Amino acid sequence: MVIPVYNEAADLERSVRRLRGYLLSVLPYPFRITIADNASTDETPLIAGRLAVELPEVTAVYLADKGRGRALKYTWLNSNADVLAYMDVDLSTDLAGLLPLVAPLVSGHSDLAIGSRLKRGSRVVRGPKREFISRGYNLILRATLGARFSDAQCGFKAIRADVAHQLLPLVQDTNWFFDTELLVLAERTGLRTHEVPVDWVDDPNSKVDIVATAREDLRGIARLRRTIPTLPIPAIRARLGRTTPRAGELATH
């Protein structure tokens, strides 16, 4: 379980201790929590290092360059775990969704699992502006990239390691569009994505610039539409045993 952080000194220790306690009490699998610090300038690296020394299930990684996607890609590719996951440091997603998220990957039922705030059964507390932008973004993904997943940006995802090592080298984005790009490539490769309805409460202190992120995502969509035809997706399909497109898969024009 990776927690990507940037200048999160105020929340990091409380969140890591809460997550660790929950995993120890509920998860029937061995686990590791990796704090992936992408170029923090506050006391986040010191707190992460102290937690890694004190808690046997916690490790800390420091990257000199910013970017949530960069942090996830680096830590996932350098992990020896069978299932790779991440969640946001604010723990906006209820931890009760963790076992439903990873269990289908452990069993081999699914290749990728995502938390969804837009599936029936989810319970979400957030302002109308964020709700409108989230729903609008996912509609754009369906119209432009033929995406079938319901929520690209929820910070609560897991992937089988063998699949990740095939897909991650193709993912170019190093920031917020990383999630979307990974999900689209997974669909084009014919992988099975499991969606988990989650309880989610918006963090009023979130540092995410909604407008800047939206612009970045739109640029990412335009780039991905151009580059998908050039990617070795048929070869990855063959390596993963998915030689034909899944039913309903759309092509990019």
Side-chain angles (χ1 to χ4, degrees):
M1 175 63 71
V2 177
I3 302 180
V5 292
Y6 173 72
N7 287 352
E8 297 288 356
D11 298 324
L12 180 59
E13 180 163 3
R14 178 176 64 253
S15 294
V16 169
R17 290 187 181 278
R18 180 184 166 199
L19 174 60
R20 173 181 176 266
Y22 184 86
L23 293 175
L24 284 171
S25 64
V26 172
L27 201 69
Y29 317 116
F31 69 88
R32 180 169 61 250
I33 299 170
T34 299
I35 304 167
D37 186 332
N38 50 112
S40 289
T41 57
D42 65 358
E43 294 185 354
T44 297
L46 296 177
I47 297 171
R50 175 166 53 79
L51 290 171
V53 170
E54 180 181 343
L55 306 175
E57 301 85 5
V58 176
T59 60
V61 174
Y62 181 84
L63 286 81
D65 297 314
K66 288 179 62 176
R68 185 183 69 160
R70 176 182 286 107
L72 289 173
K73 186 174 184 177
Y74 176 85
T75 50
W76 279 356
L77 285 176
N78 287 279
S79 173
N80 62 359
D82 296 316
V83 173
L84 311 167
Y86 94 89
M87 67 186 308
D88 292 334
V89 68
D90 57 18
L91 304 188
S92 292
T93 305
D94 193 307
L95 294 178
L98 271 172
L99 189 54
L101 186 80
V102 302
L105 308 186
V106 175
S107 70
H109 174 273
S110 301
D111 303 298
L112 183 70
I114 65 173
S116 175
R117 299 162 293 188
L118 302 178
K119 292 284 287 185
R120 180 175 297 177
S122 64
R123 292 185 293 181
V124 176
V125 178
R126 62 176 167 182
K129 181 178 180 180
R130 284 181 177 269
E131 182 76 10
F132 175 79
I133 290 175
S134 178
R135 290 184 179 273
Y137 179 63
N138 284 283
L139 287 174
I140 290 172
L141 290 177
R142 293 190 177 198
T144 58
L145 293 169
R148 300 189 307 278
F149 46 83
S150 66
D151 190 354
Q153 294 175 310
C154 181
F156 193 66
K157 294 182 174 68
I159 187 170
R160 290 177 57 89
D162 55 341
V163 170
H165 280 266
Q166 296 293 328
L167 290 184
L168 288 176
L170 302 184
V171 179
Q172 296 182 31
D173 191 79
T174 59
N175 205 15
W176 296 100
F177 189 69
F178 172 90
D179 295 54
T180 301
E181 189 167 356
L182 179 64
L183 289 174
V184 170
L185 293 177
E187 282 194 343
R188 297 307 176 94
T189 312
L191 301 181
R192 178 177 290 180
T193 299
H194 177 69
E195 297 199 18
V196 179
V198 295
D199 294 348
W200 195 88
V201 179
D202 191 17
D203 177 12
N205 300 314
S206 173
K207 301 180 179 67
V208 178
D209 186 327
I210 299 177
V211 175
T213 301
R215 285 198 296 262
E216 179 183 321
D217 286 340
L218 292 175
R219 287 194 295 268
I221 291 171
R223 173 184 58 77
L224 196 54
R225 281 173 60 87
R226 293 192 307 269
T227 58
I228 277 182
T230 69
L231 298 177
I233 288 178
I236 293 177
R237 282 185 185 278
R239 287 198 293 270
L240 294 174
R242 310 293 172 81
T243 55
T244 57
R246 291 171 58 83
E249 183 166 301
L250 301 179
T252 298
H253 300 286

